[in-house]
Amino acid sequence: MKTGWLVVNHFLATEKFTEHYNWLRRATEARGLCLLLKTGCDLLQEIGGAFLRPELLEERPDFVLFWDKDVRLAEGLEKMGLRLFNSARAVALCDDKSKTHQALAGHLPMPRTICAPMTYPGVGYPNLDFAARAAETLGLPLVIKECFGSFGRQVHLAKTLAEAETLCEKLAGTPFLFQEFIASSAGRDVRLQVVGNRVIAAMLRHNESGDFRANVAGGAAMQPYEPDETLQTLALLACRRLGLDFAGVDFLFDENGRPLLCEVNSNAHFKNLYDCTGVNAAEAIIDWVIEVS
């Protein structure tokens, strides 16, 4: 019997996360495989060396479902010769939204984006002229998006230059982006779930509360969506260039209805997708792992 590890964050143990782990384990068991839950604490290892728990070497898995964002841990596992779904590189490119845009620039249509200059928490931004230049280039309102974040919580809208400057001061020391606000898609986006070389399901998310973000966690409604060939091609291209085995790919729409890639999630939660479309992404992911392992 093939055995895999499901690697998760040791400290994210709320039901929102554990229910997804259980879905993956059930899908694996239904296909005659064994999936053992491991955390970063379980897999502690000396850099360039072995696990601090020697017995883990005897459990060497046939594959690793990497459901965390600990890139250093992922790289350590890969150096031991383990095949990760998704790879360390893919997780790193998706987790840092600036790296996502840099990797896909020139290959997919995206909102115009500017990386904020780096500073340090103890230094801050004594001069905010760069914020004015970003606003002049991209216009107002202006989206200010932290490079690391989930569920839309680290995405902000500055309606004025003063609001943008206040956000910059607040975020000093945190990597973030300035991004063009796509007014035609305010509170509305499309999530495509990609597994392997196909789109298995999609949903339209729309927030009627006035929030410009379309995250279901923020109160947006959802409905099944039939993506056209163009949208599917773009989603698959994004995943291919980022080296992803599976992902949730989010698109906005410009004033002419043309798609603009918003972001890519390497380990997107899939319960909402199932509730909306009836498609079980956990089963598709495990089928893909079996196909390529």
Side-chain angles (χ1 to χ4, degrees), residues 45 60-64 74-84:
Q45 64 181 135
R60 185 181 180 87
D62 297 294
F63 64 89
V64 176
E75 289 173 340
L77 295 175
E78 287 179 339
K79 285 181 179 179
M80 299 181 75
L82 297 174
R83 167 65 157 100
L84 271 59

Side-chain angles (χ1 to χ4, degrees), residues 116-184:
M118 180 182 176
T119 189
Y120 300 90
V123 176
Y125 288 123
N127 186 304
L128 290 165
D129 288 350
F130 65 89
R133 294 201 301 274
E136 182 179 357
T137 300
L138 301 178
L140 290 166
L142 179 69
V143 174
I144 293 181
K145 182 182 294 188
E146 298 176 42
C147 290
F148 301 93
S150 302
F151 309 118
R153 293 172 188 150
Q154 292 79 23
V155 183
H156 318 277
L157 185 66
K159 297 180 180 178
T160 66
L161 177 57
E163 288 182 3
E165 291 175 336
T166 297
L167 280 166
C168 290
E169 290 176 332
K170 180 180 178 182
L171 295 175
T174 299
F176 67 93
L177 305 169
F178 298 104
Q179 199 164 74
E180 173 188 14
F181 175 55
I182 309 301
S184 54

Side-chain angles (χ1 to χ4, degrees), residues 5 32 41 66 73 86 91 115 138 159 163 169 175 202 244 283:
W5 285 351
C41 291
F66 197 80
L73 172 60
N86 285 299
V91 172
C115 287
L138 301 178
K159 297 180 180 178
E163 288 182 3
E169 290 176 332
L244 290 154
E283 294 178 346

